[in-house]
Amino acid sequence: MLRYLLTLSRPRFWLYLAGPVLVGVAYGATEISDLFSPLAVVLFAYFLVPANVFLYGVNDVFDRNVDAENPKKQGQREARYRGGKTVVFLVALCGVAGAALALLSPPVAAPWLAGFLFLGYAYSAPPFRLKTKPPLDSLSNGLYVLPGAAAFAAVAGRQPPILAVLAGWLWAMAMHTFSAIPDIEPDRRAGIRTTATVLGERPTLAYCGVCWLLAAGVFALLDWRAGLLLGLYPLFAAGVAETEVEVARAYWWFPAINTVVGMVLTLGGLWGVLRG
């Protein structure tokens, strides 16, 4: 069961939620002690594993019929839903833990945590099923930036810069929609409508490139170096579109790419704390 839950939580993607927490803490901190405050540590721990069990568990529970057609569920990187009350209970428990964390967090951070839990549920579960309502499937996946916003607010005691949230939201929209491209044919066979199934592969790549370009531009308004760093993503989309690299293969490069980009952003924030 433990091995199954770990696979269900997509370990390769753990830093997609926990990484923004590190970035938020690094830029929200004013002193070195802020980096290791109890709330910062708890937020990182929650978004490293339990939040991923909740997010992907809800997805797998309500997508079990759709995933029967999805070849990604046949390998070791992702698990096909097994069913069982124990799995549902543990997924729900991780959601309850997130709700408790939101209630115990400072009021300035609580709305971001509540937003993550709502969108994490509404994306996959009825009556919302945002994943089947393009373009809401793409738009709702800005949820990946919310852990970072919550961490910044919790540590700094104020709201994060709106431009940072907007840029991160656009980046996450592109990431989600890019990941939906390998699912186009399985989703169409299952009768699922997504932004990717509506647009098709090449237009979806163009959509991702535009979102990433806008994200880079907004980040540049905050810091030109951040804009330059995020400018790698639209170039990546263009490279995939104009070469013979399969999107299904390029999709699995992102955990490494995003980890490096996130590390550079975090180091930039830590440098500011050390200088202060």
Side-chain angles (χ1 to χ4, degrees):
M1 176 61 70
L2 178 60
R3 182 180 301 174
Y4 167 69
L5 285 175
L6 287 175
T7 306
L8 175 147
S9 69
R10 320 289 203 271
R12 287 175 173 80
F13 301 151
W14 280 358
L15 286 181
Y16 283 12
L17 293 179
V21 173
L22 295 177
V23 176
V25 169
Y27 284 93
T30 56
E31 301 178 356
I32 294 177
S33 59
D34 293 337
L35 302 173
F36 305 99
S37 66
L39 186 53
V41 173
V42 170
L43 284 171
F44 177 77
Y46 176 72
F47 282 104
L48 183 64
V49 181
N52 281 290
V53 172
F54 166 73
L55 181 64
Y56 295 115
V58 171
N59 179 82
D60 285 359
V61 168
F62 290 99
D63 268 14
R64 54 188 179 273
N65 295 329
V66 177
D67 287 342
E69 297 286 340
N70 195 332
K72 286 198 304 185
K73 300 296 182 177
Q74 296 176 357
Q76 297 180 349
R77 290 168 170 169
E78 295 187 18
R80 179 167 279 119
Y81 179 65
R82 293 182 180 179
K85 294 181 180 179
T86 302
V87 174
V88 174
F89 171 77
L90 292 174
V91 170
L93 183 63
C94 288
V96 170
L101 183 58
L103 290 174
L104 296 174
S105 295
V108 70
W112 301 108
L113 295 170
F116 167 80
L117 293 171
F118 171 74
L119 289 176
Y121 178 84
Y123 175 73
S124 300
F128 308 100
R129 287 286 283 175
L130 299 180
K131 68 177 300 175
T132 66
K133 298 176 175 63
L136 294 180
D137 60 326
S138 178
L139 184 63
S140 64
N141 266 262
L143 66 90
Y144 283 90
V145 77
L146 298 183
F152 180 98
V155 172
R158 64 181 189 279
Q159 296 296 349
I162 189 63
L163 289 180
V165 176
L166 175 59
W169 202 285
L170 288 165
W171 174 86
M173 286 171 56
M175 279 298 307
H176 161 266
T177 310
F178 189 96
S179 72
I181 295 176
D183 297 335
I184 288 177
E185 292 307 319
D187 284 346
R188 283 176 174 171
R189 289 195 296 270
I192 299 297
R193 295 181 75 248
T194 67
T195 298
T197 63
V198 170
L199 295 178
E201 181 171 326
R202 288 189 65 83
T204 301
L205 281 171
Y207 169 86
C208 294
V210 169
C211 287
W212 275 324
L213 187 61
L214 290 173
V218 176
F219 266 122
L221 296 177
L222 291 170
D223 190 307
W224 66 268
R225 293 164 296 187
L228 189 62
L229 179 64
L230 270 292
L232 296 174
Y233 287 91
L235 293 177
F236 180 88
V240 172
E242 299 304 322
T243 63
E244 296 181 356
V245 175
E246 294 183 0
V247 175
R249 180 185 179 192
Y251 166 71
W252 292 107
W253 297 344
F254 274 114
I257 295 171
N258 293 337
T259 298
V260 172
V261 170
M263 180 185 69
V264 173
L265 287 174
T266 302
L267 290 175
L270 293 177
W271 176 245
V273 175
L274 292 175
R275 289 180 62 188

